Amino acid sequence: MRIDIYFDLICPWCLIGKRNLESALEILARQHAQIRPELHWQPVQLLADIPGQGLPFNEFYQRRLGGPEAVRLRQAQVRRAAEGAAVEIAFERISVMPNTARAHRLLAIAGQQNGAAQHADLLEHLFCAYFQQGEDIGDTDTLRRIARGVGLDAKGIERALNSAAPLSRRESQRAAQGVPYFVFDNRGTVAGAVDADTLVAVMRRTLALPVDAACEELSA
């Protein structure tokens, strides 16, 4: 089963959706061991106009949402969802809203050089660096250190960090309903960081597998 996930690294809902997908795939594997999911992470740059050096995180969100109280309420909402997915999100550590183009290019290079395993390793490290350590994942030195830590070779790192090519607009158009956006075998789709049981139900329907009573209730 092919699974395409449209995402951006600055989106906390994408990290929550990633964890929920991982839980869903564990459930599916226990029930149907013959299924072999293939994950394809499709980059979406939500804020392509952010300058390369980034913007002050708190100031950006206060302007975007209308003030400190609106930011507090939104972050509280995200934290509640994150707790349900066993995800740590430390907004208090984040000081920069980064431009994610370089980070997405690094992920592409990782996938091209060493395949899905290295791509998955780098993806996890980038999410952790931003949402848990508060690091600036638009900064070249930070990205270089993270990429070296997962074994990406120096030439690949520099090629990604020095590229000026924009990300494809096709991915942004496909994810117009919001990210994370999941596409299962180019048929079943889910928009948003839904829970693991809902993802399992959609995957089972996509594969034309029997849906049990619990899943029937979730999809009603």
Side-chain angles (χ1 to χ4, degrees):
M1 176 175 57
R2 179 186 173 104
I3 305 175
D4 290 276
I5 310 101
Y6 295 81
F7 78 105
D8 197 359
L9 290 157
I10 55 171
C11 172
W13 299 108
C14 291
L15 175 55
I16 294 167
K18 181 178 185 292
R19 289 291 185 271
N20 287 340
L21 177 62
E22 290 164 356
S23 296
L25 291 175
E26 289 177 3
I27 295 169
L28 198 68
R30 290 196 297 269
Q31 297 172 348
H32 304 282
Q34 78 279 10
I35 296 172
R36 295 290 183 267
E38 297 179 0
L39 273 57
H40 298 265
W41 293 87
Q42 308 290 0
V44 176
Q45 200 174 7
L46 295 173
L47 300 169
D49 294 333
I50 295 285
Q53 71 272 21
L55 293 172
F57 182 81
N58 288 329
E59 292 178 20
F60 172 85
Y61 267 115
Q62 287 181 29
R63 287 197 304 270
R64 187 177 181 87
L65 298 179
E69 181 62 13
V71 172
R72 186 188 68 79
L73 292 173
R74 176 64 61 82
Q75 291 183 354
Q77 178 191 22
V78 173
R79 281 194 171 103
R80 286 193 297 271
E83 288 174 5
V87 175
E88 178 190 354
I89 295 182
F91 287 117
E92 70 280 2
R93 294 182 179 178
I94 302 174
S95 61
V96 176
M97 172 59 71
N99 183 299
T100 57
R102 293 189 186 100
H104 280 304
R105 292 190 192 103
L106 272 179
L107 283 166
I109 291 292
Q112 292 165 10
Q113 284 191 351
N114 288 341
Q118 189 177 62
H119 184 283
D121 195 13
L122 179 58
L123 178 63
E124 184 65 22
H125 276 76
L126 287 168
F127 269 132
C128 177
Y130 186 59
F131 285 111
Q132 296 167 14
Q133 304 302 322
E135 297 190 67
D136 178 4
I137 59 170
D139 175 70
T140 53
D141 289 339
T142 299
L143 290 171
R144 190 176 286 111
R145 172 175 50 78
I146 294 171
R148 287 172 178 166
V150 300
L152 198 59
D153 72 57
K155 288 183 179 180
I157 292 171
E158 297 311 314
R159 186 162 72 250
L161 295 183
N162 293 324
S163 173
L167 297 180
S168 169
R169 291 290 179 183
R170 178 182 63 82
E171 287 81 3
S172 296
Q173 292 169 358
R174 184 67 183 268
Q177 297 183 57
V179 293
Y181 185 67
F182 304 90
V183 183
F184 302 99
D185 275 345
N186 291 312
R187 293 179 288 151
T189 62
V190 175
V194 299
D195 60 55
D197 288 335
T198 299
L199 289 171
V200 170
V202 174
M203 287 189 284
R204 287 167 65 95
R205 285 199 302 270
T206 301
L207 293 166
L209 295 170
V211 179
D212 61 26
C215 290
E216 291 283 3
E217 289 180 9
L218 284 166
S219 61

